[in-house]
Amino acid sequence: MTQVSKFRHFLLPSLSRPLPRHSSLYKPSIQFRSLITVLAASSKRHRSIPPLRRKSTTPMEVKETTFNKRRAEGRDKNDASKKNLQLKVRKLNPINTISYVQGLQRFCTEHKIKLSKIDHIFLSRVCSETAGGLPGLLLTLAGMGEEGMSVNIWGPSDLKYLVDAMRSFIPNAAMVHTKSFGPIFNTVEPTVPHQNKLLDPIVLVEDEVVKISAIILQPNCIEGQVLTRSESSSQKGMDHSPQIPDSPNGKRQPVAKPGDMSVVYVCELPEIKGKFDPEKAKALGLKPGPKYRELQLGNSVKSDHQNIMVHPSDVLGPSVPGPIVLLVDCPTESHLEALLSVQSITCYCDKTGNLPEAGKSVTCVIHLTPASVVSCSNYQEWMKKFGSAQHIMAGHEKKNVEIPILKSSARIATRLNYLCPQFFPAPGFWSLPNHNSSKFASLASSEGSLSELSEVISAENLLKFTLRPYAHLGLDKSSIPSMVASSEIIDELLSEIPEVVEAVQHVSQLWQESSQTKEDLTPVADYRMMIEEPWLCSNGIPACLENIRRDDLEIVLLGTGSSQPSKYRNVSSIYINLFSKGGLLLDCGEGTLGQLKRRYGVTGADDAVRTLRCIWISHIHADHHTGLARILALRRDLLRGVPHEPVLVVGPKQLKRYLDAYQRLEDLDMLFLDCKHTTEASLDAFEDDFQRNSVNSRNVNNNNGDIIASNVDSTLFARGSRMQSYFGRQGSPVDKDAVSPIIMKFKEVIQEAGLKALISFPVVHCPQAFGVVLKAEERTNSVGKVIPGWKIVYSGDTRPCPELIEASCGATVLIHEATFEDAMVAEAIARNHSTTNEAIEMGESANAYRTILTHFSQRYPKIPVFDETHMHKTCIAFDMMSINVADLSVLPKVLPYLKLLFRNEMMVDESDDVVEAVTSAY
């Protein structure tokens, strides 16, 4: 059954600001099967769990560990065979065509849709909102099977800027089939192609199954402002870019830039031939046989008994025009001007009350246009031109707020919340019905003005519009997910695991005991007393946690999986919530924004993004940074018109190449600093150089005051460090004049966040891979005692190494990757990752108070394999787990109850594609 499917909310279905809003058209075909039921099957395979092995260590013991040196240096060419990615050649149909990729992998896994079935991706705009998940998808497809797979990616001409940006971390072979269309903008002498040329349809695909055309909308606007034609003349003085007289009314326009274009897709199916009438054929002298077939194929034949030619129209009933679907992405009023001037669409519209041209009647119009544009009278008048067409309004941002489309993840979150609400707060969307009432009211008034159109509905998750067979033409709501009350999930849990009732009581008692313990703690009069481990109080609680406030720090594990998003775990991202002092992100994998909204709700997530102080990226692998552009773009939009500073992004130098190339598409409003400039040695060198320059500046004439060259190049990493050789070459010399102001800004941002230091340190994974240390400022209690600040360490991806132990010494919390189970140590060495046991040993060796294990292989979809015997200071991370610094004493005690919750879950429950690709994606 050929269908146009509503995948509008698959990244953020449960939230009021869904990210996907720019393409949801599943292109039609003559294949008479349901889209959802045909796609991927899943498999459940029980794993035999090998015995665990553990090697004991003593505290602070620094062990020699094995690792893949060639991989750490970026020279390992044998970890995966070279693949010549095969482009699948199939006729375009709804089973292998999709038009949006942000969050696509989790969506497909949830709904058992095989990624290997995707042949075509159509983008209606090229920006972080529409294509944020594209890098991860390409890498996943490239890792499937022995040869890998590739897809056709279609988009306006600025698609090439995105492809160029992704080349910094994705092999060229994964992107060879990108196909852009429309005008190419010359960056040296930018010009705007004539609007009439832009509005001509561009045929992308045309065969016996379907014809797909694209119409480009290029707005007349100044960046950050939407201008109507009447405004463009009066406001043009604000634009400092070159302008040319190219608008239809002769007024001058600002220069076009990449990222402005949007696309209207026109999808046309061929007509359905009329029914063959054998009686008519017999009357015209034809014998049953091959000539009947020729007539049905549209060919004329000569009569067997009469001297006449028999034409198809003589023996076939009336044909049924093929359905036509428009997918309209008109994001701003400026794009609306271009849309209204599209003459090629008029052939599909009613002509002053008459029918449109023969065979050109539009069956369905999917509007990705936001409510702010839909409410314009001009847009509504344009909609009315399509008469009886079904209009699906898919651009409203507050639809389907409380209905999660990632049901498996939501189900796990509900169970965890029931067991331990302190570490697993209720999802942010649970409190949204009251929050979004005003928005829905404005939406209703907008739709009320369209009362003259009887066929207007709001889109819902997984809404379908069936195109073939003709008898089923129209809306199909059978797959729309219904809301599942949390009480139903809990009832199911209690039936499955009755012991959980007692477990909930025990967990609650843990907090009561913890609260009592804190009340018993009294300030020590002589706070200068010497103890063997100065960071610990006499009762084993770190001194930094004395009288700690709940609004001091919260660690939110947004993504705890590795390689690629899965049904239950998103990829790496950690939100450091500093409450009134803002927040930080440590890594920012695909879907990070969606996870923030699931945790805090729409308003809370917007606040978190708006108040971000810094985003720190550990290394260039896609599962750690492909959600970054979306976060930066949202922050830019939230702060537009408000005085603010660009957000600081700290990451490896390869990331800067990607961001610089990407910013040709859209401004990300950020300031970049290389991780190597935030190592302890580098920061010390800059500080020494700054102090020398401050002294020398008093002796230098202001007119010719030259800055003394520093020796930062030679001190980027501690001398003698075994990590020095793993980076190979030093790289280009440091431009001190360019870096120094950013270092100063970096220190200012850290201080405003209430931190004493943010220090990066090299780890053993791939070239330019880092971990990070966050140190809080000291506090003074009521009796004048100086309380040290807490210390958080995040390992990034790494093998065990001395640098990590040294950086983690005395840490309050060590967040350590534990990609593999202990029985897979050989695989961990080959991939330069850590096993569960190795991560625990690193915490023991560094005397970390608490160790949180994360970054689990997607082989372990719900809970990893671990040895509970040695977990007295350790806990397993889950998505949305929120750990308040005041609750750290309870953290390991919760683990046995979490294990009870998942006692029946030791199986692989993912799509075949995920299991197949995960082995080659680290």
Side-chain angles (χ1 to χ4, degrees), residues 786-803:
V786 176
I787 301 175
W790 44 258
K791 177 180 177 180
I792 307 297
V793 179
Y794 172 47
S795 69
D797 286 8
T798 184
R799 286 289 298 151
C801 62
E803 285 75 14

Side-chain angles (χ1 to χ4, degrees), residues 730-751:
Q730 278 275 347
S732 58
V734 176
D735 184 349
K736 187 183 67 62
D737 291 341
V739 173
S740 293
I742 304 178
I743 291 287
M744 297 302 294
K745 180 62 181 177
F746 166 76
K747 292 186 175 182
E748 178 184 332
V749 167
I750 296 306
Q751 184 177 8

Side-chain angles (χ1 to χ4, degrees), residues 55 118 157-158 173 184 230 263 397 405 440 445 470 485 503 517 578 605 686 726 735 750 754 833 853 856 879 895 916:
K55 291 174 282 187
I118 299 173
S157 55
D158 44 17
I184 298 177
S230 61
V263 179
E397 298 181 347
I405 202 169
F440 280 128
S445 63
Y470 183 77
T517 301
L578 301 174
F686 273 107
Y726 303 158
D735 184 349
I750 296 306
H833 283 293
L853 305 184
F856 303 112
D879 281 18
L895 185 59
E916 181 179 344

Side-chain angles (χ1 to χ4, degrees), residues 622-886:
D623 58 325
H624 291 258
H625 71 82
T626 50
L628 176 59
R630 183 70 195 106
I631 292 285
L632 294 175
L634 176 61
R635 181 182 182 275
R636 173 203 65 206
D637 294 340
L638 291 172
L639 295 175
R640 180 167 287 142
V642 178
H644 67 280
E645 296 289 337
V647 70
L648 185 66
V649 175
V650 180
K653 62 183 179 181
Q654 304 102 313
L655 181 64
K656 185 177 189 299
R657 290 198 292 269
Y658 166 66
L659 294 174
D660 286 347
Y662 186 90
Q663 288 200 105
R664 299 176 70 184
L665 275 174
E666 56 179 336
D667 176 33
L668 297 179
D669 193 22
M670 61 93 187
L671 194 63
F672 186 86
L673 180 62
D674 196 323
C675 276
K676 69 182 181 182
H677 298 316
T678 61
T679 62
E680 187 170 19
S682 182
L683 290 173
D684 289 345
F686 273 107
E687 184 66 26
D688 293 343
D689 184 67
F690 176 77
Q691 293 177 359
R692 286 198 304 271
N693 288 338
S694 297
V695 173
N696 292 334
S697 63
R698 292 193 290 268
N699 302 321
V700 178
N701 188 292
N702 291 334
N703 293 329
N704 59 358
D706 297 327
I707 301 177
I708 298 176
S710 76
N711 61 346
V712 171
D713 277 356
S714 62
T715 58
L716 286 177
F717 301 104
R719 294 189 181 280
S721 167
R722 65 196 293 262
M723 284 302 301
Q724 271 189 311
S725 62
Y726 303 158
F727 290 91
R729 298 175 297 277
Q730 278 275 347
S732 58
V734 176
D735 184 349
K736 187 183 67 62
D737 291 341
V739 173
S740 293
I742 304 178
I743 291 287
M744 297 302 294
K745 180 62 181 177
F746 166 76
K747 292 186 175 182
E748 178 184 332
V749 167
I750 296 306
Q751 184 177 8
E752 290 175 351
L755 297 178
K756 182 179 180 180
L758 184 157
I759 300 172
S760 302
F761 57 92
V763 295
V764 181
H765 182 58
C766 66
Q768 296 294 310
F770 293 88
V772 67
V773 178
L774 303 178
K775 294 181 180 179
E777 290 283 4
E778 295 177 341
R779 298 177 288 121
T780 304
N781 67 6
S782 58
V783 297
K785 177 183 177 180
V786 176
I787 301 175
W790 44 258
K791 177 180 177 180
I792 307 297
V793 179
Y794 172 47
S795 69
D797 286 8
T798 184
R799 286 289 298 151
C801 62
E803 285 75 14
L804 178 56
I805 295 179
E806 181 180 356
S808 305
C809 181
T812 314
V813 178
L814 168 61
I815 307 172
H816 199 294
E817 72 117 295
T819 308
F820 295 101
E821 60 185 281
D822 297 337
M824 300 185 68
V825 64
E827 184 78 2
I829 293 173
R831 301 288 180 180
N832 278 346
H833 283 293
S834 300
T835 65
T836 301
N837 186 59
E838 287 173 332
I840 295 172
E841 290 179 345
M842 292 297 286
E844 294 284 351
S845 297
N847 279 326
Y849 176 61
R850 292 291 180 257
T851 301
I852 302 173
L853 305 184
T854 187
H855 196 267
F856 303 112
S857 167
Q858 303 297 10
R859 292 178 175 87
Y860 323 115
K862 294 182 182 178
I863 189 167
V865 178
F866 62 92
D867 183 357
E868 191 177 337
T869 306
H870 304 283
M871 301 282 281
H872 60 283
K873 300 194 332 185
T874 307
C875 193
I876 300 296
F878 294 86
D879 281 18
M880 306 300 161
M881 191 175 190
S882 302
I883 304 169
N884 194 286
V885 66

Side-chain angles (χ1 to χ4, degrees), residues 20 26 71-72 199 235 275 292 306 328 389 454 532 794 911:
Y26 267 72
R71 186 177 180 87
L199 299 179
Q235 297 285 339
K275 186 176 181 180
Y292 279 20
Q306 302 178 28
V328 182
S454 59
E532 184 177 354
Y794 172 47
S911 73

